[in-house]
Amino acid sequence: MPQDVEFFMPIPSRRSRDYERTKAHHLVWPRALGLINSQAAEQRHLQADYADLAARFYPSATGPDADLGVDLMTFFFLFDDLFDGPRGEDPRAARALTDAVAAALDGPLPVDAPAIAHGFFDVWRRTRQGMSQAWCARAARTWRGYLSGYVDEAASRNHHAPCASMAEYLAMRRHTIGAQPTVDLAERVGRYEVHQGLFDSAVITAMLRIAIDINLIDNDIASLEKEQARGEQNNIVLVVQRERGWPVPRCIAHLQDEVRTRVEQLLILEDCLPEVYDSYGLSAAERATADAYRDDGIRALIRGAYDWHRRSGRYSPEYAIPAGRLGYLEELGA
């Protein structure tokens, strides 16, 4: 099973002490917004255990901040499921939905907006609380990139032109994996903002890219069998297979090596951080904030995704959109 594939992972495993709280909260938000309206959908949602993912992505978060984390994870996966049907192969339909969701970044939505858009508006409203205008503008840019990535993926499927190389695939998939918005929220639930200048640093940029790449490699390997079953061609394992002409086991072994290389690079880059802080003249408080971002943002993204992918029911053979696929998607307010 691809879900059992192991990676070189020297980063310690962590999970919020409020996991049981977030687990109890798991269904509250999607029920209240009408995103989940049946027992079957509830069971499917609980099987995936997004509360566990949020508790691992935000290991220091508690209370309402932990709730916001699990609601964000719920949005990500319910939204992603909306592209498993015909919309995922139709760029115009994909654009219509992503534009409806992106409108939440600019202000209140019309009453007749899709339920998933209203869900995103609520997450975005809470995400902005207590954060500066500069931070909100940076986070909004990230969200726009995430949403536009779904249109690019739909266009690739529509043109029957799956990515021909790992480099091409990574350039597209880095947006839709949702890793950067996930890391952005680490600042919000941590009640801090990283010195803006650090995001111009080649070291921080490289660390973020490494974390995102590991996250998407992990996700694609875990979901390989599920995506093969529905005819998906844009999975990193299948891209490597087309590019190299290797059998799947060798492709997975190659990707395990890619993860090891990236983790080793990350550890080297972390050793450079004190010099980076010096170059930007960071105060002691700003250095502590940057270290928190390293641990509760970048490192938590890598290790949290690894731990969750290996245990989540989302990637088990039993997990699938029910036979009434369109009815399920309509339930999500598509």
Side-chain angles (χ1 to χ4, degrees):
M1 284 291 293
Q3 196 171 0
D4 295 333
V5 172
E6 295 185 355
F7 294 145
F8 172 67
M9 193 56 59
I11 299 170
S13 179
R14 300 168 63 204
R15 188 166 74 172
S16 169
R17 60 182 173 83
D18 248 5
Y19 166 62
E20 292 301 327
R21 172 198 170 93
T22 56
K23 188 175 181 180
H25 175 80
H26 203 173
L27 290 171
V28 173
W29 183 79
R31 279 175 176 160
L33 288 165
L35 295 172
I36 289 181
N37 296 306
S38 71
Q39 188 173 357
E42 289 180 1
Q43 182 57 40
R44 189 170 184 271
H45 198 72
L46 292 173
Q47 182 182 355
D49 200 356
Y50 304 127
D52 178 68
L53 180 60
R56 295 180 187 280
F57 275 163
Y58 308 112
S60 298
T62 58
D65 292 333
D67 295 343
L68 176 57
V70 73
D71 293 344
L72 175 63
M73 296 304 111
T74 290
F75 165 77
F76 273 135
F77 289 99
L78 293 183
F79 182 71
D80 188 67
D81 281 347
L82 294 175
F83 294 85
D84 281 348
R87 182 184 287 109
E89 301 175 3
D90 183 343
R92 290 185 180 180
R95 173 74 69 184
L97 182 59
T98 57
D99 282 353
V101 172
L105 296 168
D106 300 317
L109 295 173
V111 175
D112 62 351
I116 196 72
H118 285 289
F120 177 68
F121 177 80
D122 181 67
V123 166
W124 177 239
R125 174 187 61 81
R126 288 185 285 154
T127 297
R128 299 196 317 270
Q129 291 174 354
M131 307 305 283
S132 70
Q133 289 187 351
W135 185 92
C136 291
R138 169 161 60 86
R141 287 194 298 272
T142 296
W143 277 115
R144 294 186 195 280
Y146 164 78
L147 293 167
S148 68
Y150 277 91
V151 181
D152 294 339
E153 284 193 339
S156 175
R157 297 187 189 103
N158 181 264
H159 297 146
H160 303 288
C163 296
S165 69
M166 183 170 163
E168 178 188 354
Y169 178 73
L170 288 173
M172 177 177 68
R173 184 75 167 111
R174 284 174 182 137
H175 294 291
T176 58
I177 191 64
Q180 186 61 62
T182 297
V183 178
D184 287 346
L185 193 70
E187 293 177 82
R188 160 62 180 81
V189 301
R191 310 296 177 120
Y192 62 78
E193 294 186 23
V194 174
H195 187 284
Q196 185 61 36
L198 288 180
F199 294 104
D200 297 325
S201 160
V203 171
I204 296 295
T205 299
M207 289 173 65
L208 283 168
R209 176 65 58 83
I210 286 168
I212 292 168
D213 284 358
I214 293 173
N215 188 300
L216 73 85
I217 290 171
D218 196 345
N219 180 266
D220 277 22
I221 289 177
S223 61
L224 174 62
E225 291 178 344
K226 179 167 68 83
E227 293 184 341
Q228 279 182 307
R230 69 169 189 252
E232 176 64 71
Q233 294 297 307
N234 277 331
N235 177 290
I236 198 166
V237 178
L238 303 178
V239 171
V240 171
Q241 186 178 43
R242 284 194 296 276
E243 183 178 18
R244 305 276 183 143
W246 294 337
V248 166
R250 185 175 179 186
C251 294
I252 292 176
H254 174 73
L255 290 167
Q256 287 175 293
D257 290 341
E258 289 283 332
V259 169
R260 172 181 279 274
T261 297
R262 284 166 169 77
V263 170
E264 290 173 343
Q265 290 171 342
L266 180 79
L267 298 178
I268 292 171
L269 290 168
E270 286 183 348
D271 288 339
C272 300
L273 285 176
E275 294 180 14
V276 174
Y277 299 166
D278 288 343
S279 70
Y280 284 94
L282 267 58
S283 66
E286 290 170 330
R287 290 168 188 257
T289 292
D291 285 343
Y293 184 73
R294 175 200 63 203
D295 293 339
D296 290 353
I298 296 173
R299 281 180 154 237
L301 178 72
I302 295 171
R303 181 69 204 219
Y306 178 65
D307 289 339
W308 177 76
H309 277 111
R310 288 172 57 77
R311 67 181 300 277
S312 172
R314 183 176 174 87
Y315 304 101
S316 67
E318 296 79 16
Y319 187 96
I321 288 181
R325 171 183 293 230
L326 292 180
Y328 173 76
L329 297 181
E330 288 166 1
E331 180 178 299
L332 296 183

